[in-house]
Amino acid sequence: MDEVLLRSLTPSVLAVLVRRGADFAAAEDAVQDALVEAVRVWPEDQPRDPKGWLITVAWRRFLDASRADTARRRREDLVEEEPAPGPAPAADDTLQLYFLCAHPSLSPSSAVALTLRAVGGLTTRQIARAYLVPEATMAQRISRAKRTVSGVRFDQPGDVATVLRVLYLVFNEGYSGDIDLAAEAIRLTRQLAAAIDHPEVAGLLALMLLHHARRAARTAPDGSLVPLARQDRGRWDTASIAEGVAILQAALARDRLGEFQAQAAIAALHADAPTAEETDWVQIVEWYDELARLTDSPVVRLNRAVAVGEADGPRAGLAALAALDEALPRHAAVAAYLHERDGDLATAARLYAEAARKAPNTAERDHLTLQAARLNTRLRP
């Protein structure tokens, strides 16, 4: 059973149903029913045209559901619109579906959450973590978004900014775990950059390429995390770095700075340094100042505190950190790192252990636990 194939076809099938008149919630239910049927049938008899098979089954499921509560005339009209037999077109509808989910009737945050859940394949928990809210809160937000667009014709696609936010969050989730998810976000952003002349689209593509270029060096053979300062820079993808830098330079030359261009500029400075010691932290702090002005994000200010600690010393970094809420994700990890650099190993060990308990994934938890153990070993008499 090819689960990767099923996941890759899902957005296109959903887009076909929406274009044919199905409201979003009903279309999503019908596609899920078709996927369940595929899991049951395909191991014994996989169709020659998987996409066409899914469209046909999903449409019939939608029609079956519609017949329960729709007038006879509407039912007959829908039946006449049933896809003709034969191979389905090979067009990729995923990016179009991203725009359709960013419907004007939804707030930007609700549109992003709905798209991540329905098209991006992220779980409610993953989306909640990206937005720094409880899972129950995010579940309610997604449910409200589905109710809002239920019965709405998707003929008013959403704006580019919302779609960029979705692609960014999908990439971040893939960057931390599922490499296919990150690659899919890059693929879709390339499509968007080819279709729209927009500096922030270019900025996001550059940012993705620069981060993804370091992918191979981010983990050791045993799966443990390798911090940026200790990564083997010879394993970085220099072609992706060169492409990302060129795209970024062209975007910055247009003098329409946005948050993704600023983030890409920071990533480019890291990529440009031959060694960790040669990183231009002063310029990175300046870019974080620009990014904080653009976003007013607590996460940006948290990362800025690390950069200040590198540029001006750990005590300056701790002073910047003191202005932030200690409940902020990864606050304890940043505090631990800065206290260790300042020589306060006992406090650093305690904070590393605290950060490990709050880690969002196993790899990060294990890394922070090892840091705490390393310092505790040094503290023993």
Side-chain angles (χ1 to χ4, degrees):
M1 183 64 216
D2 194 338
E3 294 183 4
V4 174
L5 174 62
L6 278 177
R7 187 172 68 177
S8 68
L9 292 174
T10 298
S12 292
V13 177
L14 184 55
V16 169
L17 266 65
V18 169
R19 285 203 304 269
R20 290 184 176 276
D23 70 74
F24 188 89
E28 186 181 21
D29 289 343
V31 172
Q32 292 303 316
D33 287 346
L35 294 176
V36 170
E37 184 69 6
V39 170
R40 186 182 70 82
V41 172
W42 286 13
E44 300 296 329
D45 184 23
Q46 182 163 329
R48 293 182 181 179
D49 178 19
K51 179 179 175 182
W53 188 96
L54 285 171
I55 290 172
T56 300
V57 172
W59 187 254
R60 288 173 179 165
R61 292 292 190 274
F62 168 69
L63 291 179
D64 289 343
S66 297
R67 290 188 180 101
D69 56 10
T70 307
R72 179 180 176 83
R73 181 182 296 275
R74 179 57 181 154
R75 293 203 306 269
E76 292 174 350
D77 290 343
L78 289 171
V79 171
E80 291 174 2
E81 295 170 10
E82 182 171 351
D92 183 354
D93 299 299
T94 306
L95 189 58
Q96 181 188 16
L97 195 56
Y98 271 56
F99 273 96
L100 292 176
C101 285
H103 196 272
S105 63
L106 296 172
S107 67
S109 61
S110 294
V112 170
L114 177 62
T115 313
L116 289 172
R117 183 72 186 91
V119 190
L122 273 63
T123 66
T124 303
R125 177 174 297 178
Q126 289 171 323
I127 302 168
R129 189 168 68 225
Y131 270 88
L132 310 180
V133 299
E135 184 177 354
T137 301
M138 183 53 66
Q140 291 175 354
R141 184 179 299 176
I142 293 171
S143 294
R144 285 196 300 269
K146 288 182 178 180
R147 288 196 298 270
T148 299
V149 299
S150 181
V152 171
R153 293 288 297 188
F154 282 74
D155 54 0
Q156 300 179 66
D159 66 352
V160 174
T162 301
V163 174
L164 288 178
R165 177 63 50 191
V166 175
L167 290 168
Y168 174 69
L169 291 174
V170 170
F171 176 81
N172 278 350
E173 203 56 52
Y175 186 66
S176 302
D178 185 347
I179 188 169
D180 290 333
L181 200 59
E184 173 70 357
I186 292 173
R187 184 183 71 83
L188 293 173
T189 306
R190 283 191 186 279
Q191 286 187 10
L192 188 58
I196 299 176
D197 183 19
H198 192 298
E200 272 293 81
V201 176
L204 179 59
L205 179 57
L207 175 64
M208 289 179 175
L209 290 170
L210 289 164
H211 277 306
H212 208 56
R214 302 200 299 261
R215 181 66 188 243
R218 290 187 69 245
T219 54
D222 62 0
S224 60
L225 289 181
V226 180
L228 177 61
R230 297 208 296 271
Q231 287 177 15
D232 177 1
R233 299 184 179 219
R235 299 184 67 196
W236 289 1
D237 183 346
T238 54
S240 290
I241 290 173
E243 182 185 6
V245 169
I247 292 170
L248 173 64
Q249 288 174 338
L252 291 175
R254 301 178 64 176
D255 198 24
R256 289 168 53 194
L257 183 64
E259 62 173 296
F260 294 122
Q261 294 169 74
Q263 287 191 59
I266 292 168
L269 286 168
H270 283 298
D272 188 54
T275 66
E277 292 73 24
E278 296 173 87
T279 303
D280 189 346
W281 287 106
V282 172
Q283 194 173 167
I284 287 175
V285 171
E286 292 174 356
W287 275 111
Y288 270 122
D289 288 339
E290 287 287 348
L291 190 55
R293 179 182 61 80
L294 289 166
T295 66
D296 195 29
S297 164
V299 174
V300 168
R301 296 187 185 281
L302 182 70
N303 292 331
R304 179 185 178 278
V306 176
V308 169
E310 298 290 351
D312 300 327
R315 297 204 174 174
L318 287 168
L321 189 65
L324 301 176
D325 186 350
E326 293 184 3
L328 193 65
R330 295 189 172 89
H331 185 285
V334 171
Y337 173 74
L338 292 171
H339 276 292
E340 180 182 359
R341 288 199 60 226
D342 195 39
D344 187 351
L345 303 189
T347 300
R350 176 180 58 79
L351 288 169
Y352 275 131
E354 177 185 333
R357 291 192 294 271
K358 299 176 180 177
N361 56 64
T362 302
E364 191 169 333
R365 181 198 66 200
D366 292 346
H367 171 73
L368 293 167
T369 300
L370 285 173
Q371 300 313 304
R374 174 178 57 82
L375 293 185
N376 282 324
T377 299
R378 291 177 59 184
L379 288 167
R380 292 193 189 108

